[in-house]
């Protein structure tokens, strides 16, 4: 077995036993990147030298008794997490040469544990998209099938884990961007409760929806990474002062006494029959493990896409107003006036999808339309939240598909953004409600493409979420799987 094939938990044992050094493990991942990333294109930047230095330091720390769970573990970061001294492009030309002077809180936490950071992964520009094709630079390929999308917007973080270029990665999820690529690439991806993980140093897309979360080869590793990144941060006013349990503690508790809800609204027209079959098998696995299966209703599901595609662009238009070419980012050099400089810099720096969202968002917030669009969407958002609160009176976790279909060919939706927006229907409600959700590998389509199963739980019940996910993983036997590359 090559070191890069180890899960985080397995590598931890070897590092602590002294049968493997972080240096060798890191080298193994770097070699793997060299051999497969030409095709997979997960990485926008590989920080080889820094990674090897961090690995050497980790080996010293381990020898000196550092027992942090991620000490010496090579990980990859979505390129919207600020990394001190290391370019953070957000997949955008406007930030192509942006080198942050500070680390995001999650990066700081990983560094404090002694983790090894291999580099920055490809993503849709400013996290807007579902295929990573909106990246201004390299577009990742699905490790399971050449020419197919890895999903998005955290596509590179997903393909890097699936292709075993790293042991785990961080992504961000505003409307499904961790769970959807995890599902399409056959790995685990968890979006924590809003407020669980600090957003300080995460380049903002839609601030009331964004959450950072782990992407990993199995559920245990997801729990280990959750332990490392969760917790209150005074630098993020929306992070919550709530105690953080040991997320690995609940994994092996079985399913006895856990009620699993099936939402009728998530199994409607447009759902691929193979995807439906995979989820039905997941239900059976949890039932066999002792769960009680109940029917639930989420009646406002049909409004999720409309609500999300008003609120997210509205927040984005406000957040992206800061890219004016003055303080940082790309600046047009030949502008004749200040206003012209703003216009030229933004026109040249932003890609089409980002411009489209800025237009929608600015319109939705403009005087005269605010009440009809933004305000109305915010009110329906409350109804969506109430659907979940009601549902969690009769169940502990909700099971559903993650995406209506498995991965598709690159370019299949180009020129038709609306069809991609519609495919977000099963993931965006968790962001609107602020609840945690996870995608766990469920099976494969007859074409050999991975299909994930989504579980969602009540606010701050990632413990129950991971417990159910672990039982699902036991039943499918799909932990730590990698295609032939
Ligand atoms: N696909 C969704 C969008 O395009 C979600 C993106 C995300 O979660 N960052 O907005």
């Amino acid at each position: 077995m090559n070191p890069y094939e180890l899960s985080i938990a397995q590598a931890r044992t070897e590092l602590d036993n002294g049968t493997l050094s972080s240096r060798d493990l890191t080298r193994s991942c770097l070699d793997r990147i060299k051999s497969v990333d030409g095709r997979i294109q997960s990485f926008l930047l590989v920080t080889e030298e820094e990674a090897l230095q961090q690995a050497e330091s980790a080996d010293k720390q381990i020898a000196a008794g550092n027992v942090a769970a991620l000490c010496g573990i090579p990980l990859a970061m979505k390129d919207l997490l600020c990394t001190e001294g290391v370019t953070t492009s957000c997949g955008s030309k406007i930030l192509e040469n942006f080198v942050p002077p500070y680390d995001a809180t999650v990066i700081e936490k990983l560094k404090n544990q002694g983790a090894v950071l291999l580099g920055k992964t490809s993503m849709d520009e400013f996290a807007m998209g579902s295929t990573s094709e909106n990246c201004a630079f390299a577009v990742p390929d699905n490790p399971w099938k050449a020419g197919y999308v890895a999903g998005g917007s955290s596509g590179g973080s997903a393909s890097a884990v699936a292709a075993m270029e790293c042991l785990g990665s961080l992504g961000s999820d505003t409307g499904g961007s961790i769970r959807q690529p995890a599902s399409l690439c056959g790995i685990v991806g968890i979006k924590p409760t809003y407020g669980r993980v600090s957003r300080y140093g995460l380049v903002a897309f839609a601030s009331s929806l964004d959450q950072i979360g782990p992407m990993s080869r199995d559920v245990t590793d997801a729990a280990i990474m959750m332990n490392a990144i969760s917790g209150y941060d005074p630098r993020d006013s929306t992070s919550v002062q709530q105690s953080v349990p040991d997320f690995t503690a609940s994994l092996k508790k079985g399913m006895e006494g856990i009620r699993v809800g099936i939402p009728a609204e998530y199994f409607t027209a447009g759902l691929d029959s193979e995807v439906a079959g995979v989820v039905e098998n997941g239900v059976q696995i949890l039932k066999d493990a002792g769960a009680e299966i109940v029917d639930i209703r989420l009646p406002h599901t049909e409004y999720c896409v409309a609500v999300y595609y008003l609120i997210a662009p509205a927040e984005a238009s406000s957040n992206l107003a800061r890219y004016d070419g003055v303080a940082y980012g790309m600046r047009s050099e030949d502008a004749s006036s200040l206003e012209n400089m703003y216009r030229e810099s933004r026109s040249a720096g932003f890609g089409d999808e980002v411009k489209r969202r800025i237009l929608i968002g600015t319109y939705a917030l403009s005087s005269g339309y605010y009440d009809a669009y933004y305000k109305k969407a915010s009110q329906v958002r409350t109804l969506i939240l109430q659907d979940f609160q009601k549902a969690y009176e009769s169940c502990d976790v909700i099971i559903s598909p993650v995406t209506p279909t498995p991965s598709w060919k690159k370019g299949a939706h180009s020129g038709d953004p609306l069809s991609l927006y519609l495919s977000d229907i099963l993931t965006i409600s968790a962001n609107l409600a602020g609840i945690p959700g996870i995608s766990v590998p469920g099976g494969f389509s007859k074409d050999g493409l991975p299909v994930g199963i989504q579980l969602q739980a009540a606010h701050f019940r990632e413990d129950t979420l991971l417990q159910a996910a672990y039982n699902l993983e036991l039943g499918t036997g799909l932990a730590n799987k990698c295609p032939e590359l």
Side-chain angles (χ1 to χ4, degrees), residues 11 30 40 51 67 84 119 157 206 251-252 314 338 347 362 388 432 446:
L30 290 167
I40 307 292
V67 291
E84 187 182 347
S157 281
L251 299 181
K252 297 186 178 151
L338 181 66
S347 298
T362 307
F388 281 103
L432 292 168
K446 57 180 182 323

Side-chain angles (χ1 to χ4, degrees), residues 147-188:
Y148 279 65
V149 299
S153 64
S154 314
S157 281
S159 59
V161 172
M164 296 194 163
E165 298 173 289
C166 57
L167 274 65
S169 64
L170 290 184
S172 69
D173 192 311
T174 305
S177 280
I178 289 175
R179 291 161 288 155
Q180 187 258 24
S183 175
L184 302 191
C185 287
I187 61 160
V188 175

Side-chain angles (χ1 to χ4, degrees), residues 54 344 348:
Q54 288 163 352
E344 296 290 316

Side-chain angles (χ1 to χ4, degrees), residues 78 127-130 152-153 172-178 205 308-309 357 424:
K78 186 175 181 178
M128 297 172 188
S130 308
S153 64
S172 69
D173 192 311
T174 305
S177 280
I178 289 175
F205 165 8
Y308 172 87
Y309 278 97
R357 308 270 178 126
D424 291 336

Side-chain angles (χ1 to χ4, degrees), residues 47-327:
T47 48
E48 172 159 354
E49 224 170 278
E50 291 91 332
L52 289 169
Q53 276 167 13
Q54 288 163 352
E56 245 158 60
S57 150
D59 283 329
K60 289 196 191 112
Q61 292 178 49
I62 293 166
N66 181 350
V67 291
L70 295 176
C71 187
I73 303 290
L75 304 170
M77 300 295 125
K78 186 175 181 178
D79 203 23
L80 46 40
L81 296 168
C82 284
T83 39
E84 187 182 347
V86 173
T87 310
T88 300
S89 77
C90 229
S92 181
K93 277 201 283 191
I94 213 159
L95 288 179
E96 186 168 4
N97 299 312
F98 174 58
V99 179
Y102 67 102
D103 279 327
T105 295
V106 290
I107 300 286
E108 198 177 87
K109 280 176 179 265
L110 294 178
K111 283 186 179 170
N112 287 343
Q113 284 225 349
V116 174
L117 307 184
L118 293 168
K120 309 297 287 284
T121 58
S122 176
M123 54 179 284
D124 285 302
E125 183 177 7
F126 284 101
M128 297 172 188
S130 308
T131 62
S132 301
E133 290 167 293
N134 296 333
C135 183
F137 316 110
V139 175
D141 202 38
N142 193 307
W144 292 91
K145 200 165 185 165
Y148 279 65
V149 299
S153 64
S154 314
S157 281
S159 59
V161 172
M164 296 194 163
E165 298 173 289
C166 57
L167 274 65
S169 64
L170 290 184
S172 69
D173 192 311
T174 305
S177 280
I178 289 175
R179 291 161 288 155
Q180 187 258 24
S183 175
L184 302 191
C185 287
I187 61 160
V188 175
I190 174 167
K191 180 200 96 68
T193 307
Y194 185 78
R196 176 67 97 185
V197 177
S198 168
R199 292 182 297 109
Y200 178 78
L202 163 74
V203 180
F205 165 8
S207 308
S208 78
L209 302 162
D210 299 339
Q211 265 295 284
I212 300 165
M215 307 179 78
S216 60
R217 306 228 200 102
D218 65 28
V219 175
T220 305
D221 286 0
I224 291 170
M225 291 180 75
M226 277 297 293
N227 284 347
I229 62 170
S230 299
Y232 172 69
D233 178 8
R235 293 176 297 187
D236 170 6
S237 60
T238 62
S239 83
V240 175
Q241 239 159 341
Q242 172 109 8
S243 63
V244 179
D246 174 0
F247 294 110
T248 63
S250 60
L251 299 181
K252 297 186 178 151
K253 283 186 179 162
M255 286 303 285
E256 222 61 62
I258 304 287
R259 299 162 302 169
V260 176
I262 304 183
E265 293 81 0
Y266 280 49
F267 295 84
T268 49
L271 183 64
D272 179 274
S273 62
E274 288 187 292
V275 172
V278 165
V279 179
E280 276 158 30
N281 181 48
V283 171
Q284 194 57 46
I285 289 172
L286 294 180
K287 197 171 171 189
D288 292 346
E292 182 194 339
I293 310 296
V294 295
D295 287 322
I296 57 151
R297 302 304 304 265
L298 296 168
H300 293 92
T301 300
E302 63 174 304
Y303 303 111
C304 285
V305 174
V307 167
Y308 172 87
Y309 278 97
L310 285 167
I311 291 179
E315 294 184 13
S317 75
S318 161
N319 276 326
L320 268 51
R322 72 188 66 169
Y323 303 101
D324 56 9
V326 176

Side-chain angles (χ1 to χ4, degrees), residues 41 44 74 94 135 175-176 190 235 276 328-329 339 344 415 426 439 449 465-466:
Q41 305 214 58
L44 296 179
I94 213 159
C135 183
I190 174 167
R235 293 176 297 187
Y328 47 74
E339 196 190 317
E344 296 290 316
L426 304 169
S439 175
L449 289 163
L465 188 71
L466 288 158

